[in-house]
Amino acid sequence: MNWFLDMCIIIFYAEIQGKNYEMTAKFVKEKKENKFLLCFYISKENMPKWIKREKIILKILGEKVENPSHEVEKSEEFGLLFPRDVIKLKKLVGQCLSSRNKEEYYEKIKENQIIMLKRIDYFLTNLINKEVIPVDKIDQDLKSAIFTFTNNMSDSLTITSGIQHNQEEDLTLITGDKHDWNKDNIQWVYDSRPDLAKKYSKVPEIRYIQDM
């Protein structure tokens, strides 16, 4: 089987303290002869940007530990964070400031990030069988149509890549996102755009890691 991975699968695998780790580790362990495919958009753009934001979160947390009166919003790179990153940052800041030993808490978070980044690198280097659909080959028309229903650019680019490559070889898309990654969104696109339905007639199966 050809598994086309959403980026969250790699993150779930890397975050050994996360709630999704065990089920993802089990899925990866059972890979055997199956192939893991990843689109170039994730490996070349989305994942590097996500990692950069994770490092910014840690950096700002360190600034807060060093100077508790520091306002995180005034950090130089705060503006690069996405809203969900800000939520994560403020949660970490709150936990850190309420801990008995702020420096020890920070060092633990730092250690966890080092482990996470090593596991991401291991996954990309050793577990991905093939990368598909160069970023400049992504069908912008299909991507825009999908974005109309997902309102999520990264998901739209990834799903588009999966649909495109599915025309060449059968894929099963694997994700943890039941909101944006569902056949209803694709079907709505096809219902509104018969030309795209004709061009990409093979619709990939979508499965969810939490149901594996």
Side-chain angles (χ1 to χ4, degrees), residues 176-191:
D177 180 359
K178 292 188 176 183
H179 182 264
D180 291 323
W181 287 59
N182 63 74
K183 280 199 170 183
D184 287 340
N185 282 339
I186 297 175
Q187 190 58 53
W188 288 333
V189 169
Y190 282 13
D191 288 345

Side-chain angles (χ1 to χ4, degrees), residues 50-212:
W50 183 84
I51 290 173
K52 180 179 180 179
R53 296 198 307 274
E54 286 293 300
K55 291 180 177 179
I56 290 173
I57 289 173
L58 182 66
K59 179 182 177 182
I60 296 177
L61 179 62
E63 293 171 351
K64 188 68 174 177
V65 171
E66 186 176 338
N67 178 12
S69 65
H70 173 68
E71 297 180 33
V72 297
E73 293 84 356
K74 292 185 178 180
S75 292
E76 184 178 355
E77 297 177 291
F78 180 84
L80 297 176
L81 299 179
F82 288 0
R84 60 179 176 271
D85 300 322
V86 174
I87 292 173
K88 179 177 181 177
L89 170 61
K90 291 188 175 181
K91 180 179 179 180
L92 288 173
V93 167
Q95 292 174 342
C96 184
L97 294 181
S98 63
S99 65
R100 292 183 177 180
N101 190 320
K102 299 177 181 58
E103 289 76 15
E104 184 177 303
Y105 178 90
Y106 171 76
E107 289 301 321
K108 182 62 177 177
I109 296 299
K110 183 178 179 179
E111 178 185 345
N112 288 343
Q113 185 177 100
I114 291 171
I115 293 172
M116 177 189 72
L117 295 179
K118 287 182 177 180
R119 289 180 65 84
I120 289 174
D121 182 67
Y122 173 83
F123 197 112
L124 295 175
T125 303
N126 298 285
L127 298 178
I128 297 299
N129 297 96
K130 182 164 61 172
E131 294 184 43
V132 299
I133 310 296
V135 176
D136 62 354
K137 299 299 182 183
I138 295 175
D139 187 325
Q140 296 299 310
D141 197 17
L142 178 59
K143 179 266 296 181
S144 296
I146 293 175
F147 179 77
T148 299
F149 295 98
T150 66
N151 198 37
N152 184 310
M153 185 57 69
S154 61
D155 280 342
S156 300
L157 287 161
T158 307
I159 294 170
T160 298
S161 297
I163 292 174
Q164 284 183 243
H165 193 70
N166 191 62
Q167 309 311 302
E168 300 179 24
E169 59 179 335
D170 292 337
L171 304 176
T172 299
L173 278 55
I174 181 76
T175 182
D177 180 359
K178 292 188 176 183
H179 182 264
D180 291 323
W181 287 59
N182 63 74
K183 280 199 170 183
D184 287 340
N185 282 339
I186 297 175
Q187 190 58 53
W188 288 333
V189 169
Y190 282 13
D191 288 345
S192 63
R193 291 289 304 276
D195 56 321
L196 291 175
K198 182 178 180 180
K199 184 177 182 180
Y200 299 107
S201 58
K202 292 174 60 180
V203 180
E205 178 184 2
I206 301 175
R207 297 181 67 179
Y208 303 100
I209 191 70
Q210 54 267 51
D211 297 335
M212 299 294 289

Side-chain angles (χ1 to χ4, degrees), residues 4-15 18-21 23-25 27-28 37-39 41-42 46-47 50 84 116 120 123-124 154-155 158 173-179 181 206-210:
F4 179 88
L5 308 183
D6 183 8
M7 190 172 81
C8 69
I9 301 300
I10 303 173
I11 295 172
F12 291 166
Y13 175 82
E15 292 182 330
K19 64 179 182 179
N20 299 304
Y21 169 71
M23 62 184 178
T24 307
F27 168 73
V28 172
L37 281 69
L38 193 68
C39 64
Y41 166 68
I42 288 178
N46 207 24
M47 181 64 81
W50 183 84
R84 60 179 176 271
M116 177 189 72
I120 289 174
F123 197 112
L124 295 175
S154 61
D155 280 342
T158 307
L173 278 55
I174 181 76
T175 182
D177 180 359
K178 292 188 176 183
H179 182 264
W181 287 59
I206 301 175
R207 297 181 67 179
Y208 303 100
I209 191 70
Q210 54 267 51

